[in-house]
Amino acid sequence: MRNILITGGAGFIGSHVVRLFVNNYSEYNIVNLDALTYAGNLENLKDIEALSNYTFIKGDICDYNFIKEVFAKYSIDAVIHLAAESHVDRSIKNPFAFAQTNIMGTLNLLEAAKNSWNNDFENKLFYHISTDEVYGSLGDKGLFTENTPYDPHSPYSASKASSDHFVRAFYDTYGLPIVISNCSNNYGSYQFPEKLIPLFINNICNNKPLPVYGKGENIRDWLFVNDHARAIDVIFHKGKLGETYNIGGFNEWKNIDLIKVLIKTVDKILGREEGASEKLISYVKDRAGHDYRYAIDSTKLKEELGWEPSLQFEEGIEKTVKWYLDNNAWVDNVTSGDYQKYYKEMYE
Ligand code: NAD
Ligand code: TYD
């Protein structure tokens, strides 16, 4: 048996990673550690929570003594670290929380792993999940490669960049076996409706304004979350120690074009006239420090480890829209309470 600690497993991407590992690897004990912040939700894992190779622990990665105890109690052999504050807009309002969780939380985990493994690094791994946003913003041409210098602009990306540097520093300084991946924007089921795609699907359904930042001309590179989880599986098992792998599906969309695809898909499924919801588009003040374009080159991952995305974007978007429409109870649950307050502060 291998004991694998997955942090942030009750969040959007983490829940897909936990599900994949619990279902596919009965020889692993999966320990999901999550603080259950506004973004974490155990409903995301209802289908696997009773399986014998799965354990959930509620706890904060910022609490070093607690993390140390988890390593000892569960004899952790490997970590897949996803826990983070993850929303750029929130980082603009409250950068402290991002430094605390993303930098100090990561440092706590690194230090606990190093001390618990005590220089016996055989079959050990610390896998850190990061973002392409650490590379900064592109102009109209070019792609982020693993060698692109870090140039983060938002408090979120600055905190993720800092955590990546700590992870590499532990490899260089202590020989801690690490691997890092930097992925582009994800979409799919169980994403908290503060990020563009689930927020807009929900607003289109409810005939609410669609707050497009600036002119809607910023570009993002979108990957289906299940494909990200598959990439994490491949890198966890075959990635070379000390290396970084970019993850992305060569799938760039200008925000406004993507929003029109969402409108078309939701209107079609709800039986509305084609384009009826375009009237909901509402251009609002741009995000401060808004990165213009992200686009990732994932050639290394394809050529060295054989990973490729499994889905075309149109198919992924249709699946995603259907999931949100079929899971009203999930959406209602996560958008009650504090979400209303957040929404008012952000958009009204
Ligand atoms: P998310 O916000 O949906 O989930 C984060 C999870 O971490 C939540 O379950 C939350 O409860 C937990 N968490 C937060 N603070 C914690 C703490 N102090 N201790 C323990 N748990 C804590 O985020 P996500 O979108 O699933 O992102 C997961 C990871 O992937 C992050 O590290 C993020 O930077 C990275 N990433 C995200 C994307 C994306 O498009 N969403 C793209 C690339 C990389
Ligand atoms: P988001 O989903 O927050 O991801 P990120 O900023 O990490 O890339 O935003 C994706 C794009 O959509 C980004 O260019 C900002 C834009 N956006 C809006 O125009 N309106 C919104 O209400 C949100 C949340 C995002």
Side-chain angles (χ1 to χ4, degrees), residues 87-89 133 185 194-196 199-200 211-213 218 220 222 255 287 290 294 347:
H87 189 37
V88 173
D89 291 326
E133 303 190 24
N185 288 59
E194 62 184 354
K195 307 270 167 64
L196 180 74
L199 174 76
F200 276 40
V212 180
Y213 297 162
N218 302 65
R220 296 291 182 266
W222 294 94
N255 288 343
R287 172 187 278 171
H290 197 173
Y294 303 143
Y347 296 112

Side-chain angles (χ1 to χ4, degrees), residues 74-92:
Y74 296 94
S75 299
I76 298 299
D77 302 301
V79 180
I80 306 178
H81 173 37
L82 296 109
E85 289 291 338
S86 67
H87 189 37
V88 173
D89 291 326
R90 287 187 192 250
S91 82
I92 294 168

